[in-house]
Amino acid sequence: MHAFSPEDMTSKAWSKLIKGSIIPRPIAWITTQNKDNVINAAPFSYFNIFTPTILAVSIQYDPTQRKDTARNLIDRKEAVVHIPDKALLAQMDQTSSPLPSNESEIELAGLHIVASDLVQPPGIQEAKVRIETKLEAHIPLTVKDSDAIETELFLLRIVKAHLAADIYDVTTGYVDSEKLDPVARLGGPDYSIIDKIKDFKRNF
């Protein structure tokens, strides 16, 4: 096997290696609002659950221009996290386009909003899963042996979840992953969908 250390590679080369290895990564499609109530939407693949009520997303830090989602989370402390599905892939990808902070990616992608119940930012109406959250903690993470911020980790407390009726079985309490049809991030520009292993039986 090849062996690598981050100190022996450029940050770009190391990032490609790690992002191509740790796959598939779920995507948080996040809506926030700025101080002028402009709605921002953007996807992030450094994302997962920490507990059943805490989500974690890390947003790369740029000292010259903090991303709108990060700034809005720090300022307003609320967000709606969506799980994008295959049918929304093109529109989700559009929302990753850099726009001035006074313009909304919702309009750019031809999406519609729906009011939230417990937070100010609205959700994306077309998404099959939307999760209302409030900021629990904001943790800047620095480059090794440096004070320079590399990324910002946001822990988001879930306060309410909305699921499309056709993906949730009220009898079993399970979400139907095939009907949800979520997309995940691979290395480079690639995405994946779920293909369940159906012939495997757990031993416990």
Side-chain angles (χ1 to χ4, degrees), residues 173-192:
Y174 284 113
V175 176
D176 188 321
S177 59
E178 292 183 346
K179 291 180 179 178
L180 174 56
D181 200 19
V183 291
R185 193 66 192 268
L186 301 176
D190 297 327
Y191 293 92
S192 72

Side-chain angles (χ1 to χ4, degrees), residues 32 37 86 88 128 144:
T32 55
N37 292 322
K86 185 179 177 182
L88 293 172
K128 296 177 184 176
K144 183 182 178 183

Side-chain angles (χ1 to χ4, degrees), residues 30-52:
I30 301 177
T31 52
T32 55
Q33 278 181 305
N34 67 16
K35 292 180 177 179
D36 297 319
N37 292 322
V38 176
I39 302 164
N40 174 263
F44 299 92
S45 65
Y46 287 166
F47 161 68
N48 219 308
I49 58 172
F50 270 18
T51 77

Side-chain angles (χ1 to χ4, degrees), residues 56-168:
V57 60
S58 105
I59 300 176
Q60 297 303 108
Y61 180 77
D62 182 345
T64 63
Q65 182 66 48
R66 180 180 261 136
K67 288 185 180 294
D68 289 339
T69 301
R71 183 173 59 252
N72 294 346
L73 272 169
I74 292 167
D75 290 343
R76 303 290 295 269
K77 302 185 179 358
E78 296 181 334
V80 182
V81 177
H82 309 77
I83 304 302
D85 60 78
K86 185 179 177 182
L88 293 172
L89 178 58
Q91 288 167 293
M92 183 207 72
D93 191 62
Q94 270 192 300
T95 64
S96 64
S97 304
L99 288 181
S101 59
N102 63 346
E103 295 182 23
S104 175
E105 293 82 2
I106 295 289
E107 296 175 11
L108 173 70
L111 295 163
H112 302 87
I113 60 170
V114 59
S116 296
D117 291 346
L118 300 177
V119 299
Q120 287 298 313
I124 296 170
Q125 189 174 54
E126 289 83 352
K128 296 177 184 176
V129 173
R130 64 180 192 274
I131 302 170
E132 299 180 25
T133 70
K134 295 191 177 186
L135 182 62
E136 182 80 6
H138 165 230
I139 307 168
L141 303 177
T142 59
V143 177
K144 183 182 178 183
D145 301 325
S146 169
D147 292 330
I149 298 173
E150 181 177 20
T151 191
E152 295 177 282
L153 177 65
F154 294 89
L155 302 185
L156 306 175
R157 173 75 65 178
I158 298 172
V159 295
K160 197 156 193 179
H162 305 265
L163 283 76
D166 64 332
I167 70 167
Y168 182 71

